[in-house]
Structures are given as C-alpha cells and as structure tokens.
C-alpha cells in the first residue's frame, strides 16, 4: 500500500486609434488587440521594425521580443516593467491566461497574451451573427451557461479587482439564485436550501440536515436514501490519504454502488446529484472529485467556511459582465493582446524555452521572452509538448492520459419567460443530462427585447448538454449523431417529458429561435467534431495532472488541467492554475513581490480528528469508520 498523500501547492477588440498605433511600435506585439493578426510589423519595434519590414517584405518570419524601448510619442511603461527577467509570453486568452496576466501585470511584469481564436476561451459569450436589428445587439449565445458556486473563491477574488462601468467591480455582477432544483417525471424537486445546523457540526448533525433536505417524494426506497447518505458521510470524514489513494480511483457510480440499486435511486440521487452540481456523468466522474464538490456545496448551503450563496450567476452576458471589463483593465495595466496568433512550436535550448514559433495572418515569427506560459486547453497542449520538452521534464508525458468529453451549450430564445426555476435546474432521468438557467430573471438592468435581437425575445433558456453519447427519446440516436434540427427536437422533447405540462409550458410558438455552440461541427455526419471539449475528471486523473511549474525553469502551465485544490475542470480551477503559474514566475525571476493568494477549500476544524483517525485506518487497510454498508477497504 503506497502513501498517496496529495502534492502540496507551490509556495505561496481591437483598438486602432493613434495612441495604440504608437504603442504598437513601442511594445513587442502591437497595440492592444491586433485584429489584423500576427505579422512581422506587429512583433518588431521602432527602427528595427521598419528596417526588418523593408528587408523581409511579406516574408512574415523573424524574432519578436516581449520587451523593447518605447518609440517616440508612445506611452512609457512603468520602470519596474523594464527589469531583467520580467518579459512574459502567455499563449491562450482564456481563463487561465487572463488570470496569469492579471497577477503578473499588477506586479509590474511585461505581459503579452497570444490567442489563436477569440478572447475568453470557453468562458466567452458568442453573439449569434445577424440577429440584431434596429440598433440592438446580436442575441447572446454561450459555450455553456456561467455557474459560480459559492465555494468559488479564487475567481471572485480576481473579479473583485476588475473595475466595471458605472463603478464597482465585476464581482458585483454576480447574482444569487434562490433555489437549486430538478424536474423528474413532471415533478419539481427542490434541493436542500440554505440553512444552519443546530448545535455542533458533526457527522450526525450533517446527516440529519441532508436527510431532511433531500426530498425525493417517496420515489426512492428509504433504505437506499440512507445508503447514499452514509456513503456521503464516509467521504466527508475521510482523510487526505483515503481521498487521494482510494476515492480517487473509483468512479462516483462505483462509490455509491449505482449498479446494485433501483432505477429511481440512479435517476433521482446519483444522476441528479452529479448533473445538478457539475453537469457530470456518474460513470465517468471520479468519486474524489464529485465527493469534494458535494461537500463544498453543502458547506456553502450552510453558510460555512466564508462561502457565498450556493448558486450564483452573472447579471448580463459573460463578455459584458466579465471578459470585456477584464481586458480593458488588463490593457490599463500594460498587457498587450495579440489575436490570430497560433502557437506552433516551443523551441528548447539548454533544457529551457529559447523561443516560441507563432503563426499569424502574415506568416510566422519567433517570439522571445523570459518566461513562457502555456495556457491552452489540454487537447491543444499535448501536441505542443514536443520531445525536447518531454526530455527535459518526463513527468509531463502523463498529460496525454488526461481525457476530454463533449459538454456544450444550446440556447432557446423565448418570446415570453417561463418560470422553470429561480436558479440552476437539472432534468433528472433525461438521457442527455440536461441542465439549464433562465437568464432574464438575473439580468436585472437589461430588458432583453430592447437590447438584443429583433425585439421579440424576452428570455434566454441557456442549457448544457452533458451526455452526447446516450441515445435520445425521439430518434434513438446520441446527440453526436443527430443533425442540428434533431438535437433541437430532442432537447424540446426531453424538457417537455420532465417538466409539468411540458408541451404547454414549452410550446413551439414561444421558442423564437435557438443557438447551438458553434464548436460542434458536422452535425449528423461521420465527421461530427467538437473543437472545444471539456476535460473530464475521470478516476485516477489527478495523478496525470501536472503542477503549474515544470522542470524547464521558464515554462509554466495555466489551464484547468493543472492540479488545483478545487480538483475540477472549471473556471475556478483555471484561475487557480493561473495564480500558481504567476507565483512560479515570481519565484523564477527572483521577484520580491507578494505572491498571488491561493484560496483553499473549506474543511471544518470540527472534523480534523476524523481526518487524522481515517488516515490511520487507511494505513491499516481499514474502511472509513462511517462506511458501514458495503465498506470499501484500501
């Protein structure tokens, strides 16, 4: 039996005005957005740029530096930004890249972010082209709705440092949902509401709270409810050795023995539980990850650990409420943004990164910096970890074992709002594991029909399809094999089967239009593909995930697959990874700046004795003391 104690965290638009054209000559990658793409003229500066352009013409090759002297008339950067070893090139403009840039720019580093596609990554809004009329904006689409559980701490802290128009900050754009609910066979089920535990927090008091809070309307045998809850108490009282050495290697379905239980147990407890919390599938999600999310959700619901309300959402489309203000703020800190910039190769010399080859609309260039941050998704990171990098850090080979799955959004634009739930909603027993949020109730200061579309849309039912490989109820085909029209019809049918008076509540006339995440292409053909899958926390995946720092002294990782305390592929996990990457750079550069704070998930002091005892039981090969029915031993 090996010691599996977890590793500890590392200590710790473009703008085309004259000003930005001048700044484009002063900085390494051009002015603050670079809608024209990566080109030699945007990478090289001052007289060198002019001479190079004449010599190279349209060749589009050369060397870029992330720090150069400012050209005449350009705004001068703070002197601290000119210190040696402070040039940072970040590849990827999603949550991880923006978070890294934020922490470093606040500490005087010279940062350039290169993004191949669009800012915000999977967290962005996706306007539906051509839908806005009479001066209104295009209808807002999303890769998937934005859900900010109360146990998110790192990301809200970052948001609290992003100014927004009219005063305040982006954290103020979070709105609390009033309930977390699910529909099952025409019945609405409200999950445990915020409250408190009378007396001392203990396994018994927590069990009493959960048993009174889970309302399954008599559809699940009472002994099965008890079985499920005692497994959850066993997890909550498990020490780190069992969590990382035992529960990490089981799926959640195995952990709660779903294959031995009734259909209602699986539909109302197992599937609804995982789908509501993180839109996950219990046979693929690890028990460690799901148990930790359930634990955090309960503590958030109880108002413990300084957590906020359990279910929070944005008060406007993501770009308007978060991404756009964030980029504006980062520009004010001196961060340079370069769009249409695809990282193709990281060049290694003497076991460190010497340069990065980036392709843009005008060809390729070699980017040089002091520190390099790979902030792209795992499926794009793996091909970039070439043999030279893997030779310098063999531990990075295991990243190739991390898996992804489809989990993408579909929006129904409604003529009239429908009241499905005052927060996050799941649809239990429906094969595609649907979850949704009605957006209009949270966009307090926005009248959708006056702001977006053609004036006929008054609500957005934003949904996530989590199970793309399970046959539907209309065509008996998985979503992967369905055409766009079939996907829409299946989603309507599954919603109508779940909610009371479904065909009347969600009638065809009220559905003005729909929007399916454009990352899904080739619908209904053998060439169906997903350009933006999501990392899946499968059993054992923790052991394949890297730290933000690598054995290459100037290469850092900042994406949701990096090891993070939240242990789930989320915005929060990517933000935490960005903070860890920034701290690694601070240490590597010898900076005396205060490291970025890394928030830890709450564990009650009252349970420390249980954690310590469980570690001892784990070492002796014994089950958790509360794992009474079908106990699982190491």
């Amino acid at each position: 039996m090996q010691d599996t104690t977890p590793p500890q965290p590392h200590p710790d638009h473009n703008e085309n005005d004259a000003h930005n054209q001048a700044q484009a000559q002063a900085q390494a990658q051009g002015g603050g957005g670079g809608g024209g793409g990566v080109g030699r003229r945007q990478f090289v500066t001052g007289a060198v740029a002019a001479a190079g352009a004449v010599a190279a013409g349209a060749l589009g090759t050369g060397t870029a530096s992330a720090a150069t002297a400012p050209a005449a008339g350009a705004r001068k950067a703070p002197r601290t930004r000119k210190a040696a070893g402070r040039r940072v090139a970040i590849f990827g403009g999603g949550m991880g890249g923006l978070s890294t840039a934020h922490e470093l720019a606040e500490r005087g580093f010279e940062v350039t972010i290169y993004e191949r596609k669009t800012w915000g990554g999977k967290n962005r809004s996706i306007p539906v082209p051509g839908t806005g009329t009479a001066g209104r904006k295009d209808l807002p689409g999303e890769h998937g709705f934005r859900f900010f559980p109360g146990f998110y701490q790192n990301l809200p802290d970052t948001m609290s440092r992003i100014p927004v128009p009219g005063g305040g900050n982006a954290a103020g754009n979070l709105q609390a949902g009033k309930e977390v609910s699910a529909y099952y066979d025409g019945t609405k089920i409200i999950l445990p509401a915020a409250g408190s535990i009378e007396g001392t927090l203990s396994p018994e008091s927590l069990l009493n709270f959960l048993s009174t809070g889970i309302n399954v309307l008599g559809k699940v045998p009472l002994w099965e409810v008890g079985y499920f809850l005692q497994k959850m108490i066993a997890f909550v009282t498990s020490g780190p050795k069992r969590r990382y050495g035992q529960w990490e290697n089981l799926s959640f379905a195995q952990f709660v023995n779903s294959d031995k239980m009734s259909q209602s147990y699986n539909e109302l407890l197992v599937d609804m539980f995982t789908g509501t919390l993180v839109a996950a599938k219990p046979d693929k999600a690890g028990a460690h990850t799901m148990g930790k999310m359930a634990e955090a959700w309960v503590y958030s619901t109880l108002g413990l650990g300084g957590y906020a309300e359990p279910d929070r959402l944005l008060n406007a489309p993501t770009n308007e409420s978060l991404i756009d203000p964030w980029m504006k703020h980062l520009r004010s800190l001196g961060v340079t943004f370069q769009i249409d910039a695809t990282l193709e190769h990281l060049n290694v010399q003497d076991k460190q990164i010497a340069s990065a080859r980036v392709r843009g609309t005008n060809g390729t260039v070699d980017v040089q910096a002091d520190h390099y941050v790979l902030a792209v998704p795992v499926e794009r990171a793996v091909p970039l970890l070439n043999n030279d990098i893997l030779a310098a850090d063999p531990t990075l080979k295991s990243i190739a074992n991390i898996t992804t799955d489809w989990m993408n959004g579909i929006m129904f634009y409604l003529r009239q709002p429908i009241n499905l739930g005052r927060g996050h909603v799941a649809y239990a027993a429906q094969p595609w594991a649907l979850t949704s949020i009605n957006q209009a109730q949270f966009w307090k200061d926005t009248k959708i029909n006056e702001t977006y579309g053609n004036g006929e849309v008054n609500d957005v039912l934003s949904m996530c399809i989590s199970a793309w490989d399970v046959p539907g109820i209309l065509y008996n085909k998985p979503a992967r094999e369905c055409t766009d029209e079939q996907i829409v019809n299946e989603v309507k049918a599954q919603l109508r089967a779940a909610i009371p008076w479904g065909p009347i509540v969600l009638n065809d006339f009220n559905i003005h239009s729909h929007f399916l995440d454009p990352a899904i292409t080739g619908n209904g053909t053998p060439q169906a593909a997903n350009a933006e899958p999501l990392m899946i926390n499968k059993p054992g995946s923790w052991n394949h995930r890297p730290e933000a720092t690598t054995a290459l002294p100037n290469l850092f990782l900042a994406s949701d697959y990096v090891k993070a305390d939240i242990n789930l592929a989320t915005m929060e996990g990517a933000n935490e990874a960005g903070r860890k990457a920034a701290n690694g750079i601070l240490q590597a550069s010898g900076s005396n700046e205060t490291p970025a704070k890394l928030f830890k998930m709450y564990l009650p002091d009252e349970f420390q004795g249980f954690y310590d005892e469980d570690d001892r039981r784990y070492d002796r090969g014994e089950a958790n003391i509360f794992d009474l029915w079908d106990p699982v031993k190491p």
Side-chain angles (χ1 to χ4, degrees):
M1 182 170 57
Q2 61 180 355
D3 183 354
T4 51
T5 301
Q8 296 301 307
H10 192 280
D12 328 296
H13 309 203
N14 303 336
E15 297 174 348
N16 298 312
D17 59 21
H19 165 76
N20 285 300
Q21 291 175 10
Q23 189 177 10
Q25 296 177 356
Q27 296 178 323
Q29 278 71 45
V38 179
R40 178 175 180 82
R41 293 173 187 265
Q42 293 172 299
F43 279 80
V44 200
T45 61
V48 176
V54 172
L59 182 61
T61 59
T63 301
S65 170
T68 55
R75 183 182 61 182
K76 294 184 179 180
R79 290 189 63 183
T80 55
R81 292 169 52 82
K82 298 304 175 185
R86 300 174 75 87
R87 303 172 304 166
V88 182
I90 298 175
F91 302 100
M95 180 59 65
L98 294 175
S99 299
T100 309
H102 194 151
E103 300 298 337
L104 292 174
E106 285 187 337
R107 291 160 175 81
F109 281 72
E110 183 174 348
V111 180
T112 300
I113 310 179
Y114 303 85
E115 167 58 40
R116 71 180 183 89
K117 187 176 180 181
T118 186
W119 304 112
K122 296 184 183 74
N123 310 293
R124 71 192 185 279
S125 302
I126 310 172
V128 186
T131 56
T133 64
R136 288 179 287 263
K137 303 175 186 177
D138 287 337
L139 289 170
E142 302 273 355
H143 173 78
F145 55 73
R146 304 277 80 79
F147 171 41
F148 297 76
F151 52 82
Y152 279 17
Q153 301 174 92
N154 292 283
L155 178 54
D157 175 74
T158 296
M159 294 172 68
S160 72
R161 292 181 277 130
I162 301 173
V164 296
N169 56 62
N173 289 335
L174 293 173
Q175 300 285 326
K178 303 301 181 184
E179 63 187 19
V180 178
S181 55
Y183 286 95
Y184 178 72
D185 194 24
T187 301
K188 185 175 182 179
I189 300 170
I190 308 297
L191 274 69
S196 62
I197 290 180
E198 295 295 334
T200 303
L201 179 64
S202 66
E204 293 78 13
S205 64
L206 193 57
L207 181 61
N208 288 334
F209 168 75
L210 291 174
S211 63
T212 56
I214 292 182
N215 178 7
V216 293
L217 303 179
K219 297 179 183 293
V220 180
L222 185 59
W223 78 268
E224 288 188 345
V225 174
Y227 182 91
F228 182 86
L229 291 178
Q230 68 90 26
K231 285 293 183 182
M232 299 312 302
I233 295 300
F235 181 91
V236 167
T237 56
S238 290
K241 289 186 177 182
R242 193 180 306 278
R243 293 187 182 212
Y244 287 88
Q246 185 172 336
W247 306 141
E248 174 63 29
N249 298 311
L250 292 177
S251 72
F252 187 73
Q254 291 172 320
F255 175 63
V256 295
N257 277 306
S258 63
D259 61 340
K260 298 180 180 180
M261 301 298 181
S262 66
Q263 180 178 347
S264 59
Y265 175 91
N266 279 276
E267 292 177 342
L268 275 170
L269 292 179
V270 183
D271 294 342
M272 185 179 73
F273 176 81
T274 55
T276 303
L277 277 178
V278 293
K281 296 178 280 293
D283 60 327
K284 294 185 178 181
H288 177 206
T289 299
M290 290 308 308
K292 191 165 188 176
M293 294 305 96
E295 175 183 65
W297 174 72
V298 169
Y299 293 148
S300 177
T301 299
L302 292 170
L304 300 175
Y307 287 158
E309 299 90 346
D311 188 13
R312 293 176 297 169
L313 306 108
L314 291 169
N315 63 2
T318 311
N319 279 8
E320 297 176 28
S321 55
L322 176 57
I323 302 300
D324 291 345
W326 199 359
M327 292 181 63
K328 181 179 179 180
H329 179 57
L330 293 181
R331 285 190 178 102
S332 74
L333 295 175
V335 175
T336 299
F337 292 86
Q338 184 61 60
I339 197 68
D340 296 333
T342 300
L343 175 63
E344 292 189 328
H345 186 74
L346 291 166
N347 303 307
V348 178
Q349 292 181 7
D350 299 325
K351 296 186 178 181
Q352 65 179 354
I353 305 300
S355 64
R357 188 174 73 236
V358 177
R359 174 174 49 82
T361 55
N362 295 335
T364 61
V365 295
D366 286 335
V367 176
Q368 291 184 342
D370 299 303
H371 312 283
Y372 300 81
V373 180
L374 192 59
V376 299
V378 63
E379 72 276 5
R380 297 194 175 274
V382 170
L384 291 166
L385 297 174
N386 55 57
N387 290 336
D388 292 335
I389 293 175
L390 297 179
D393 189 346
T395 66
L396 298 179
K397 293 179 182 178
S398 66
I399 297 177
N401 296 320
I402 298 174
T403 59
T404 61
D405 201 355
W406 292 24
M407 196 174 295
N408 298 68
I410 182 170
M411 273 97 249
F412 283 177
Y413 301 103
L414 306 177
R415 288 185 167 86
Q416 295 297 327
I418 56 178
N419 182 23
L420 293 178
R422 299 183 297 165
H424 194 183
V425 180
Y427 301 88
Q430 299 309 311
W432 286 4
L434 302 173
T435 48
S436 76
I437 293 171
N438 282 91
Q439 302 280 30
Q441 61 186 312
F442 299 103
W443 293 356
K444 302 296 185 182
D445 300 324
T446 302
K447 291 186 177 180
I448 294 179
N449 67 329
E450 295 178 2
T451 309
Y452 306 100
N454 64 356
E456 298 179 5
V457 173
N458 286 280
D459 198 2
V460 180
L461 181 60
S462 183
M463 294 170 283
C464 183
I465 303 173
S466 298
W468 287 78
D469 51 1
V470 179
I473 63 177
L474 283 185
Y475 306 103
N476 197 34
K477 295 195 300 184
R480 290 174 184 262
E481 299 177 10
C482 290
T483 64
D484 184 278
E485 181 181 6
Q486 289 173 335
I487 290 174
V488 171
N489 290 338
E490 273 285 2
V491 171
K492 288 193 295 186
Q494 292 180 34
L495 291 179
R496 288 167 176 169
I499 63 180
W501 303 98
I504 297 175
V505 173
L506 188 66
N507 62 76
D508 282 340
F509 175 77
N510 199 29
I511 301 176
H512 172 275
S513 53
H514 71 273
F515 173 78
L516 181 64
D517 186 350
I520 306 294
T521 57
N523 299 344
T525 73
Q527 290 73 43
N530 186 347
E532 296 183 354
L534 184 69
M535 173 197 152
I536 301 299
N537 293 77
K538 293 181 66 175
S541 61
W542 177 266
N543 300 314
H544 300 309
R545 296 168 65 182
E547 288 289 353
T549 55
T550 74
L552 290 81
N554 65 342
L555 176 63
F556 304 86
L557 309 176
S559 190
D560 59 9
Y561 64 88
V562 171
K563 284 180 176 175
D565 191 49
I566 194 172
N567 190 27
L568 182 70
T570 54
M571 296 181 290
E572 173 76 355
N575 181 277
E576 184 178 342
R579 289 165 179 255
K580 296 176 76 173
N583 287 348
I585 291 172
L586 291 175
Q587 185 178 47
S589 64
S591 172
N592 59 3
E593 295 281 346
T594 302
K597 183 175 181 179
L598 294 173
F599 291 82
K600 299 285 288 184
M601 296 187 73
Y602 168 75
L603 292 173
D605 292 338
E606 293 92 332
F607 285 4
Q608 188 59 53
F610 292 107
Y611 305 146
D612 294 341
E613 173 60 21
D614 191 61
D615 276 351
R616 291 188 286 268
R617 293 178 67 89
Y618 180 87
D619 288 339
R620 296 195 298 264
E622 299 172 357
N624 177 276
I625 194 171
F626 293 99
D627 196 6
L628 304 175
W629 298 345
D630 294 330
V632 182
K633 297 180 180 180

